[in-house]
Amino acid sequence: EPEVTQTPSHQVTQMGQEVILRCVPISNHLYFYWYRQILGQKVEFLVSFYNNEISEKSEIFDDQFSVERPDGSNFTLKIRSTKLEDSAMYFCASSPGGYTGSYEQYFGPGTRLTVT
Amino acid sequence: GIQVEQSPPDLILQEGANSTLRCNFSDSVNNLQWFHQNPWGQLINLFYIPSGTKQNGRLSATTVATERYSLLYISSSQTTDSGVYFCAVGEGTYKYIFGTGTRLKVLA
C-alpha cells in the first residue's frame, strides 16, 4: 500500500541553524500539507500546497518557514533560523483530491526536530 | 475558525472493556478523520468518515454531520489500543483542525 515517507526521522540542530525536512507524498496525490505537534499538545496545521503554490497557511507559518516541491516527488519544509520553540514533531501529509474528490489525508511517520 | 472538542480527555479501561470517544465540532464540515497516535508518535489513520457509519474489526465510527458530532467505538479493548485518539475535521479544502485528543490507557 502506498505511503507517505519522511526523512530524517529525528534531527537535532542548534538554534539559528537552517533545517530542511523532506517528504515524499503518495504518487498521484495533488494536495500536500505540513503539520506540527509540540510535545504533549495537539497537532497544528502549518501549510497546504496545491498546483505548485501555497493554498493556505496558518499564523505559525511565518517568514522563517518555506515549502517547496523541487521535483515531481519530493516536498520540503525549510526553517531558516531555528528557535528553541520550533522543537516539535513535524508531519507531512498528502491527499488525492482532483477527480477522486477525496480529501482524506494520509500522514507520514513524522520528523522529530530538536533545537538546542 | 472551527472549534473541535473531544471527550473524555483521559480514559482508563480494563482489557476487554468497551468505550465511546466523542468529537464535537462547531460548524459543518466536509471531511473528518479519526487517528490513533501510537507511543512512537505516529498518526495511524483509523477512519475517514465525513458522514455515516464505518466498521473495521473492533473499531467503528459514526458521524452525524447535521448534529456536528462524531463517535469512535472501541470494543473488547486491548493493551495495544493505548495511546491518544485524535479527531480532525476539514476546514475548507486545504486544512484539518485537530481536537485536543483522548488519552486512552488499557490495563492488562
Side-chain angles (χ1 to χ4, degrees), chain B residues 82-94:
Chain B
S82 296
V84 184
Y85 289 80
F86 287 105
C87 164
V89 302
E91 184 173 79
T93 302
Y94 301 120

Side-chain angles (χ1 to χ4, degrees), chain B residues 57-74:
Chain B
R58 297 180 297 103
L59 303 182
S60 64
T62 295
T63 296
V64 184
T66 52
E67 297 187 20
R68 301 179 185 170
Y69 73 89
S70 183
L71 303 174
L72 178 69
Y73 306 96
I74 305 174

